[in-house]
Amino acid sequence: MSPRSDYDVLIIGGGVLGTAVAERLARTETRVGLVEAENDVAEHASKGNAGVAVSYYGAPGTLETQLINTSAPLWEEVCARLDVPYRRIGGVMVALDAAEAERLEHTHQEVLACGVAVQALDARQVLAREPLVTPHAVAGLLLPDEGIVDPMRLTAAYARLAATNGCDFRFAERVVGIERDSDEVLAVITPTSRLTARFIVNAAGVGAAGISRIAGGEPLVSRPRKGQYAVVDRAFGQRLSSIVFCTHLPDTKGTNVVPTTHGSVLLGPTAQDIEDPDDRATDAETIESVVDRAARLVPEVRDAYIMKTFAANRPAGDEQHRLRFDTKVPNLLHCTDRSAGVSISPAAADYTLGLLREAGLDAPDRPSAQRVLPPVPRLRTSEHPERLIAENPSSGMVVCACEQVSSAEIEAALTGPVPATSVEGVRKRTGAGYGRCQGSLCLAGISFMTAMNTGTDPATVMHTTRGTVGS
Ligand SMILES: Cc1cc2nc3c(=O)[nH]c(=O)nc-3n(C[C@H](O)[C@H](O)[C@H](O)COP(=O)(O)OP(=O)(O)OC[C@H]3O[C@@H](n4cnc5c(N)ncnc54)[C@H](O)[C@@H]3O)c2cc1C
């Protein structure tokens, strides 16, 4: 350990990658800190993604593919350890005509080259596997190891376990400057602090290029690539058993139909390069085209109830994936991924630790570190709700009727390490407000509990990390 620094490792960014790295490092003899511009974790790409824990994403031989291959078999273990919903439901990629069938064959060969389980399906087999797929499908690929995870719960859980094991989280501190000592980063400057560290992990997502620039590092390019989604409710979701992918185009993975762990279904995403990383607006024309494209794969989505739309921005740029030291600043490690950050997170955390150890970080594993988060009893998924309620009557006090989220679950989200400090923070950790009424019935209850736990006046309690409920 370096006696001159506040931290051995300081991570910039509290998305899924920054928190996964924090969780892994905090189980070693490392003084680790994480600095995040927003008031909470999972506020940017890690909030607005589809939560597909992919088994295959792209070409063989890349580090991203290696990390996907390493992460894919770990999901049941990781999510059980972190108390995060996960289901290995498999995915069907569908070809709708001869040209798509030809491209599908190319994908088939690529999946095989990645060493991933895959099976070619004829038209009859596609329908047998997923009866909601259009009868116009001419061929398909089954990817049995595709899974779905709750990406917000995952990010919050990585953070919670990291904090339990001693990681210091600093919220609402945007890194605005970096001090150098000859070639190396010496300190990170926020509006309120000067934080010294031996190593810096740049997990700032779209902000990664800016961090590299102020550190005097490589001229990286990162720009927001917006993806819009429509969300269909559980009444439809409970009839869909697999992820339905379209056939990939060379430059885009296209619009898919993706069940979520909450039971809803996502239609999307789109891919549009934009300028403003805070632009998360959706528009009717794009959403209509998303529904049209989704309906080509699964016609019944046309009759399903769309509960909401949302958008998020991928950290796109000159490199799809970056997990390496900067070539100019030897103690600055870049850790970003455009489109598969959730899927690589378990292995990326281990890989980052390996790189830091190779660079001289003395970080032996700490046998006393906690590996498992105590599970929060959840009313909707409990096999014995009556026992839950007998043990704790608050488990029977339902605040969100659509998602059956109890007052006990909300209380758990608002307390303990890295608690929710806003209504949105509660939603991310519990799913309250994500159902058919989109919070019209439960907003008052969640706001009241958030106000009580954060010592805020109910009229000014934070809704998102940036605005109040009334704003
Ligand atoms: C529409 C869409 C669909 C996707 N679908 C999937 C999917 O199904 N499966 C999958 O695996 N991946 C998916 N992805 C990709 C995945 O979401 C990203 O790869 C992942 O979330 C990136 O995580 P991150 O931690 O690098 O970035 P982010 O979650 O963006 O976190 C970066 C953090 O850094 C903070 N930050 C930035 N600048 C500063 C600064 N100066 N100081 C302090 N903090 C700073 C930000 O506030 C932010 O919280 C999708 C992405 C999108 C947008």
Side-chain angles (χ1 to χ4, degrees), residues 186-370:
L186 176 65
V188 157
I189 311 297
T190 75
T192 50
S193 318
R194 176 179 179 274
L195 308 167
T196 56
R198 188 168 162 216
F199 291 101
I200 305 295
V201 175
N202 175 11
V206 177
I211 296 295
S212 192
R213 182 172 41 75
I214 58 175
E218 288 173 48
L220 307 181
V221 178
S222 54
R223 75 173 87 81
R225 181 169 297 168
K226 191 196 274 192
Q228 298 191 32
Y229 281 106
V231 189
V232 167
D233 87 344
R234 189 178 292 130
F236 175 75
Q238 62 199 9
R239 299 175 47 224
L240 186 71
S241 59
S242 315
I243 307 164
V244 182
F245 296 111
C246 66
T247 303
H248 291 169
L249 284 164
D251 54 343
T252 162
K253 304 281 194 244
T255 295
N256 307 309
V257 179
V258 183
T260 72
T261 55
H262 289 282
S264 56
V265 175
L266 303 180
L267 314 180
T270 52
Q272 180 195 4
D273 286 327
I274 58 170
E275 295 299 320
D276 177 4
D278 285 329
D279 172 359
R280 295 186 232 174
T282 59
D283 65 275
E285 198 184 325
T286 305
I287 293 297
E288 260 175 45
S289 77
V290 162
V291 175
D292 282 348
R293 275 179 273 144
R296 290 183 72 225
L297 299 171
V298 177
E300 287 191 42
V301 299
R302 279 212 187 285
D303 306 321
Y305 180 79
I306 295 180
M307 296 189 291
K308 71 176 273 183
T309 61
F310 69 89
N313 296 318
R314 305 166 187 83
D318 52 344
E319 292 167 277
Q320 179 167 318
H321 175 82
R322 248 181 236 122
L323 188 36
R324 57 175 171 77
F325 276 103
D326 190 88
T327 52
K328 290 166 77 183
V329 181
N331 66 340
L332 176 65
L333 197 159
H334 302 298
C335 178
T336 63
D337 192 283
R338 187 194 70 202
S339 298
V342 174
S343 307
I344 64 166
S345 61
D350 277 327
Y351 190 86
T352 302
L353 174 59
L355 289 179
L356 290 165
R357 281 176 172 157
E358 276 170 28
L361 179 73
D362 183 17
D365 279 319
R366 207 157 37 90
S368 61
Q370 195 171 313

Side-chain angles (χ1 to χ4, degrees), residues 2-266:
S2 165
R4 70 188 173 103
S5 305
D6 297 322
Y7 304 103
D8 296 314
V9 182
L10 181 63
I11 299 159
I12 303 174
V16 71
L17 288 175
T19 56
V21 171
E23 192 279 316
R24 184 63 190 92
L25 290 177
R27 284 190 275 122
T28 70
E29 300 281 352
T30 306
R31 291 170 308 149
V32 54
L34 186 150
V35 60
E36 165 56 52
E38 307 284 354
N39 273 327
D40 196 5
V41 294
E43 268 304 297
H44 286 264
S46 302
K47 175 160 92 172
N49 63 73
V52 181
V54 300
S55 58
Y56 154 79
Y57 190 74
T62 65
L63 177 57
E64 188 182 56
T65 294
Q66 179 192 320
L67 296 173
I68 288 170
N69 288 354
T70 310
S71 297
L74 302 177
W75 281 109
E76 282 84 356
E77 185 269 323
V78 168
C79 290
R81 193 163 68 74
L82 296 174
D83 184 30
V84 171
Y86 168 79
R87 287 191 290 137
R88 197 177 288 273
I89 60 174
V92 184
M93 191 175 284
V94 175
L96 300 176
D97 56 32
E100 288 194 0
E102 209 176 304
R103 288 210 307 278
L104 199 69
E105 182 46 32
H106 170 79
T107 302
H108 188 184
Q109 295 311 317
E110 189 167 81
V111 182
L112 287 172
C114 289
V116 172
V118 61
Q119 185 193 335
L121 304 176
D122 62 24
R124 190 186 49 80
Q125 289 168 320
V126 170
L127 285 178
R129 169 70 201 207
E130 181 49 74
L132 293 185
V133 166
T134 171
H136 300 303
V138 297
L141 283 184
L142 173 65
L143 293 152
D145 282 335
E146 298 286 296
I148 49 171
V149 64
D150 181 333
M152 292 168 278
R153 283 260 301 269
L154 179 68
T155 307
Y158 279 140
R160 188 169 273 235
L161 191 52
T164 304
N165 283 320
C167 176
D168 180 28
F169 280 82
R170 310 181 69 103
F171 289 110
E173 287 202 53
R174 179 173 294 279
V175 174
V176 290
I178 288 185
E179 266 177 44
R180 292 266 300 266
D181 175 11
S182 67
D183 298 358
E184 301 216 324
V185 171
L186 176 65
V188 157
I189 311 297
T190 75
T192 50
S193 318
R194 176 179 179 274
L195 308 167
T196 56
R198 188 168 162 216
F199 291 101
I200 305 295
V201 175
N202 175 11
V206 177
I211 296 295
S212 192
R213 182 172 41 75
I214 58 175
E218 288 173 48
L220 307 181
V221 178
S222 54
R223 75 173 87 81
R225 181 169 297 168
K226 191 196 274 192
Q228 298 191 32
Y229 281 106
V231 189
V232 167
D233 87 344
R234 189 178 292 130
F236 175 75
Q238 62 199 9
R239 299 175 47 224
L240 186 71
S241 59
S242 315
I243 307 164
V244 182
F245 296 111
C246 66
T247 303
H248 291 169
L249 284 164
D251 54 343
T252 162
K253 304 281 194 244
T255 295
N256 307 309
V257 179
V258 183
T260 72
T261 55
H262 289 282
S264 56
V265 175
L266 303 180

Side-chain angles (χ1 to χ4, degrees), residues 387-425:
R387 284 190 213 158
L388 214 62
I389 296 163
E391 274 168 31
N392 178 1
S394 303
S395 293
M397 290 167 60
V398 173
V399 177
C400 167
C402 303
E403 296 298 294
Q404 290 178 41
V405 180
S406 72
S407 133
E409 290 161 61
I410 294 177
E411 184 76 26
L414 286 161
T415 51
V418 195
T421 55
S422 65
V423 170
E424 183 61 17

